[in-house]
Amino acid sequence: MDKQVIVVNKSTVPVGTADLVSNIITDALLERKKKFSCPVVSNPEFLKEGAAINDFMKPDRIILGSNDKNALNILKEIYSPFNRNHDKVIEMDARSAEFTKYASNSMLAARISLMNEFANLAENLGADIEEVRIGIGSDSRIGYDFLYPGCGYGGSCFPKDVNSLIYEAENKAGVNLSILKSVQEVNEAQKLILVKKIRNRFGDDLSGLTFAIWGLSFKPNTDDMRSAPSIKIINELLNRGAKVV
């Protein structure tokens, strides 16, 4: 084995994908009677839409999942220009790296749904959720990131990863992720919270009323409409007879 080819997977994939790919490559090499090393490294990306370039240039962490030390050393050398301030590389096995990506997005999704539940409750109790947000965010264990109430999360990552982790847990591990199921449920209900407020003011029949929707994408600084709350809001308004601009 005088040469090495490294396969790097940066996607969000089910836990065990790197092992599956590695087995496929190994079988193919055996069939072709080729002898060289081909480790598969899981290197999940943590890039936010609207800030992807900055996140790549200044990553919070660089996760490398593999048991092949030579492959890890090569990737650490590749990442060295983005790892100068302090060591951001975290080494682990491939399955743990794959799971870390799912766990990170699911935890952030849970934080959003919990904050939205707090906002709905605060409104009913006469509390100011903005003041509450400042109060709880000042706790160093909590912080202020992803602590803003709104119409629910959308996009391609959070809904997909939460659904995927729930499916993986039930169908591959026999585990019921009840908290994540609630996160998903709360998020879908939150997408219609503005419609609920509109109905409380104007009634169920919105015929003859015109509503302007400001902000269609699922988050600022993107043009991504995937799972955007605006889609659900617009459809509900149209179904109740309203006009939308």
Side-chain angles (χ1 to χ4, degrees):
M1 294 187 182
D2 58 352
K3 62 179 179 178
Q4 182 180 56
V5 175
I6 301 174
V7 176
V8 182
N9 178 29
K10 297 187 68 67
S11 304
T12 305
V13 293
V15 177
T17 298
D19 290 340
L20 176 63
V21 173
S22 181
N23 291 336
I24 292 172
I25 293 172
T26 300
D27 290 343
L29 291 174
L30 287 173
E31 185 179 332
R32 299 175 189 181
K33 298 181 180 179
K34 301 291 185 181
K35 292 185 178 181
F36 59 86
S37 173
C38 188
V40 179
V41 180
S42 179
N43 175 214
E45 52 82 16
F46 297 94
L47 309 179
K48 299 185 295 292
E49 283 199 55
I53 294 176
N54 187 65
D55 288 344
F56 179 79
M57 301 294 289
K58 301 176 181 178
D60 292 326
R61 71 283 206 203
I62 301 168
I63 292 181
L64 302 176
S66 176
N67 293 320
D68 189 297
K69 286 297 181 183
N70 186 49
L72 291 176
N73 288 334
I74 291 173
L75 283 173
K76 284 197 286 187
E77 184 178 349
I78 292 173
Y79 272 116
S80 59
F82 312 99
N83 193 35
R84 297 177 65 186
N85 187 28
H86 63 277
D87 191 5
K88 302 171 185 177
V89 173
I90 303 174
E91 297 179 25
M92 58 183 71
D93 63 274
R95 287 178 178 250
S96 296
E98 291 163 343
F99 186 69
T100 297
K101 173 67 174 182
Y102 277 120
S104 295
N105 281 351
S106 295
M107 185 166 284
L108 292 174
R111 186 174 169 105
I112 292 170
S113 282
L114 181 59
M115 193 60 190
N116 282 332
E117 285 211 313
F118 285 161
N120 297 338
L121 179 59
E123 186 173 13
N124 287 319
L125 295 177
D128 186 336
I129 191 58
E130 179 61 15
E131 293 183 0
V132 173
R133 183 189 70 79
I134 294 172
I136 62 178
S138 63
D139 188 325
S140 60
R141 298 167 300 176
I142 298 173
Y144 291 103
D145 291 340
F146 289 84
L147 209 60
Y148 295 90
C151 296
Y153 59 78
S156 63
C157 291
F158 286 4
K160 170 179 64 64
D161 289 356
V162 171
N163 287 335
S164 182
L165 198 54
I166 291 172
Y167 178 86
E168 290 278 312
E170 288 186 344
N171 292 277
K172 293 187 177 180
V175 175
N176 178 35
L177 299 182
S178 55
I179 291 180
L180 281 190
K181 287 181 179 178
S182 297
V183 167
Q184 187 183 45
E185 199 175 301
V186 168
N187 189 62
E188 288 307 303
Q190 190 70 16
K191 290 180 180 181
L192 292 178
I193 199 70
L194 285 180
V195 177
K196 182 180 178 181
K197 294 176 184 290
I198 290 170
R199 289 170 59 197
N200 287 341
R201 175 157 184 178
F202 296 106
D204 290 336
D205 185 5
L206 302 178
S207 300
L209 296 176
T210 300
F211 295 89
I213 305 296
W214 180 270
L216 295 178
S217 62
F218 85 96
K219 65 178 292 187
N221 299 318
T222 79
D223 59 0
D224 196 339
M225 291 289 292
R226 287 175 290 183
S227 299
S230 62
I231 297 174
K232 205 162 187 177
I233 293 170
I234 290 170
N235 284 335
E236 189 66 19
L237 291 176
L238 293 175
N239 289 338
R240 295 183 178 281
K243 293 182 179 179
V244 174
V245 296

